[in-house]
Amino acid sequence: MKKVTVIVRTFNVAWVLDQALLSLSKQRDVDIDLMIVDSGSTDETLQMITHYPHRFLEVEPGTYFPGKVLNNAVSKATTNLIVFINSDVVLLDPYAIKKLIEPLESAEVAATFGRQIVRPEADLLVKHDYDRAFPSKNKQPDWMHYSLPIAAMKKDIWEKLPFYIDAWGSEDTHWGVKVKKMGYKVVYVPEAIAMHSHNYTFKQLASRRRIEGEADVYIYPEQKLSISSFFKSFIGSFLREGFYYIKHKNILGLPYLLINRFVYAWHYYKGFKHAKSNYKTITFGNYQ
């Protein structure tokens, strides 16, 4: 039985945390050392975690920065096998973690990530996004390099390549791209299945896309973006998703989709341009 450190980051997730930790406690054929990393929860989160054996790391409220928090947590792991499970992820298979870590037995595999399916209340657009990103069979799309909501990695490889701290967000994509350039493999494991999704408001979507645009400057430093690229992304995304809406007989949802895809493309463009003007070359000094 393999021993693994499972890192769960929490912040005001009482609405789902009990489901998430219960599904984690039912995992079979693995020995789990659970590490909870909380960044200042004020709801019932801290009371809920007392029902599950765990180690606790506290992040000072208002100081949460993904790369730094993850690096600190991994550094305190006592096992070489590290598993990341988001606090709003519900594992749907009692052998999900066992399946997730099996490919790591190969020396050439640095990390793995599992399949995410949407919650019952997910918007049609969200469902389509997840179906594209996390197919039930075959290989993941080329643009999906790594995804931390359900993922695993080897600590000894993380020691060579910690998570970056140049931008707030997309630390999983950045790590996946860089570790592949080092000659390692990142394996998608669709059999390791979990439920996880979010219906974003326009404001939340705008914030997320600005973060992703900023991060991509550091992930793909050679990439260029122009106003014509924005229009190409906007129109292409609207047409692709529009056909999906029509196929599912949701014609009335097209006006919402039009605004959503504009916000999606425009705020990515704004984030990218902002970061490009402040871009600095990444060195290993930026991984802390």
Side-chain angles (χ1 to χ4, degrees):
M1 185 182 297
K2 297 286 187 180
K3 186 167 185 177
V4 301
T5 299
V6 176
I7 297 172
V8 177
R9 290 169 289 166
T10 59
F11 177 69
N12 288 345
V13 284
W15 64 276
V16 70
L17 184 60
D18 204 41
Q19 296 177 50
L21 293 183
L22 184 61
S23 71
L24 190 58
S25 70
K26 293 183 177 181
Q27 290 298 294
R28 300 176 183 172
D29 287 357
V30 287
D31 183 5
I32 293 176
D33 177 18
L34 175 61
M35 183 186 299
I36 302 288
V37 184
D38 189 81
S39 52
S41 291
T42 56
D43 63 0
E44 296 178 355
T45 292
L46 298 182
Q47 288 76 26
M48 285 183 172
I49 65 176
T50 61
H51 300 294
Y52 302 89
H54 68 280
R55 288 192 286 147
F56 185 76
L57 293 182
E58 185 176 10
V59 178
E60 184 179 346
T63 66
Y64 181 83
F65 197 96
K68 288 184 178 180
V69 168
L70 286 166
N71 286 338
N72 183 51
V74 176
S75 72
K76 291 178 169 53
T78 58
T79 64
N80 192 47
L81 295 178
I82 311 295
V83 172
F84 303 97
I85 302 292
N86 275 19
S87 57
D88 60 346
V89 163
V90 179
L91 301 174
L92 300 180
D93 183 337
Y95 295 96
I97 291 181
K98 180 178 185 291
K99 295 172 181 177
L100 188 67
I101 65 174
E102 282 176 348
L104 295 175
E105 294 179 6
S106 171
E108 63 183 2
V109 177
T112 63
F113 64 102
R115 183 184 174 210
Q116 301 172 46
I117 65 171
V118 298
R119 302 183 191 282
E121 68 274 15
D123 292 339
L124 184 62
L125 178 59
V126 175
K127 184 179 186 304
H128 193 211
D129 281 345
Y130 274 60
D131 286 346
R132 292 174 59 232
F134 307 105
S136 60
K137 297 180 181 179
N138 302 324
K139 183 179 179 292
Q140 80 278 11
D142 291 339
W143 44 265
M144 178 55 68
H145 296 282
Y146 195 39
S147 184
L148 281 184
I150 172 172
M153 67 166 55
K154 296 173 181 173
K155 183 176 180 179
D156 56 4
I157 295 179
W158 166 86
E159 289 170 345
K160 301 175 185 177
L161 183 71
F163 291 104
Y164 85 134
I165 60 169
D166 293 275
W168 202 105
S170 295
E171 64 284 344
D172 45 4
T173 299
H174 179 275
W175 196 88
V177 169
K178 297 301 179 182
V179 84
K180 289 177 183 177
K181 289 183 178 180
M182 293 170 63
Y184 293 103
K185 292 182 179 180
V186 176
V187 176
Y188 174 54
V189 186
E191 298 80 14
I193 187 169
M195 183 172 63
H196 173 250
S197 64
H198 298 279
N199 291 331
Y200 292 116
T201 65
F202 288 140
K203 182 178 180 180
Q204 290 169 331
L205 179 63
S207 176
R208 180 177 179 85
R209 290 297 286 169
R210 283 196 299 271
I211 289 170
E212 291 173 345
E214 291 174 358
D216 275 3
V217 170
Y218 296 93
I219 300 170
Y220 311 107
E222 71 286 351
Q223 179 176 313
K224 296 181 180 180
L225 203 62
S226 63
I227 193 68
S228 62
S229 301
F230 151 69
F231 279 109
K232 182 178 179 180
S233 173
F234 165 51
I235 295 171
S237 178
F238 176 69
L239 290 176
R240 181 184 65 243
E241 304 301 341
F243 283 126
Y244 187 78
Y245 267 51
I246 293 170
K247 179 181 176 180
H248 287 79
K249 301 178 181 180
N250 189 10
I251 307 299
L252 295 178
L254 291 176
Y256 162 80
L257 177 64
L258 181 68
I259 299 171
N260 182 289
R261 294 297 89 180
F262 181 86
V263 171
Y264 185 89
W266 177 245
H267 285 277
Y268 176 90
Y269 175 79
K270 287 180 65 178
F272 185 93
K273 285 298 186 180
H274 176 264
K276 199 70 172 179
S277 65
N278 298 293
Y279 176 72
K280 59 179 179 295
T281 302
I282 296 175
T283 67
F284 278 99
N286 297 115
Y287 302 101
Q288 297 177 6

